[in-house]
Amino acid sequence: MTDCETIYDYAMVTIKDYRIDKLANADYASFLTYMRGFLVHGIASFQTNCFQTLELTTQVVDSSTKYYFTVDLTLQESMLLADEIVYYWVQSLIQETEVFQPKMSAKSFKYVELPSAIKQRSEYLDKLEGKINNSICSYQFNNLSSIPFLKDIGG
């Protein structure tokens, strides 16, 4: 069983956000809940391309609930899920930035340079999506023998 915290650790190598770091230091349980939200989105995105089940289970350890996958994920599967977490985190940053626009006049919004920040994050999000898609193709290519219809053809 792969611990979800392992996936979060992989994602946090890329994620550099003082707010998340502060949350992790102040209330680690809340940090885990926050990261699990991104992971759930990542599971939903990757599940259709994954050759293993991505079901989660829980165990109580030292009076806290820990989340695990019901199977042992490969490193490639773990890294893909970490990339999915990063993807949804960046997406949340873009949405968070766009929320400012209705509260500001168009003129003020332009001077704060939020549009360029949104553009940069959107471009990064597009590159990250491409990276994830390439990683999924590589993952599937490396596991061709797991594809049911190819297994039947090979006899």
Side-chain angles (χ1 to χ4, degrees):
M1 293 191 322
T2 301
D3 187 346
C4 289
E5 289 183 54
T6 301
I7 311 300
Y8 305 153
D9 289 344
Y10 293 151
M12 290 305 293
V13 168
T14 303
I15 295 173
K16 303 296 179 210
D17 187 334
Y18 73 93
R19 296 171 299 180
I20 294 176
D21 293 340
K22 189 175 178 179
L23 177 62
N25 291 330
D27 186 354
Y28 194 68
S30 293
F31 163 77
L32 294 176
T33 300
Y34 181 72
M35 294 300 288
R36 192 169 53 257
F38 294 125
L39 178 61
V40 168
H41 285 287
I43 289 170
S45 292
F46 182 44
Q47 180 65 62
T48 57
N49 295 301
C50 189
F51 295 116
Q52 297 197 72
T53 181
L54 295 177
E55 288 181 34
L56 294 176
T57 187
T58 59
Q59 289 183 356
V60 177
V61 178
D62 297 329
S63 73
S64 65
T65 304
K66 294 187 71 94
Y67 286 79
Y68 296 88
F69 289 90
T70 57
V71 296
D72 288 325
L73 300 179
T74 65
L75 179 60
Q76 193 173 21
E77 291 162 341
S78 297
M79 295 305 292
L80 269 160
L81 285 170
D83 286 344
E84 292 280 0
I85 288 173
V86 173
Y87 178 86
Y88 285 103
W89 170 71
V90 172
Q91 193 175 59
S92 75
L93 292 178
I94 292 169
Q95 291 170 345
E96 182 180 287
T97 305
E98 288 176 338
V99 166
F100 285 115
Q101 187 174 8
K103 296 178 184 175
M104 305 172 101
S105 69
K107 186 176 179 181
S108 297
F109 188 75
K110 288 179 185 173
Y111 287 123
V112 178
E113 295 188 18
L114 290 177
S116 65
I118 291 171
K119 183 180 178 192
Q120 287 174 342
R121 289 175 180 168
S122 293
E123 288 171 355
Y124 178 73
L125 195 65
D126 291 342
K127 288 178 185 176
L128 187 56
E129 184 175 25
K131 177 185 178 227
I132 290 169
N133 289 335
N134 287 339
S135 295
I136 288 172
C137 286
S138 174
Y139 167 76
Q140 289 177 332
F141 181 75
N142 291 335
N143 293 284
L144 285 177
S145 62
S146 300
I147 299 174
F149 73 87
L150 288 179
K151 213 185 276 185
D152 295 340
I153 292 171

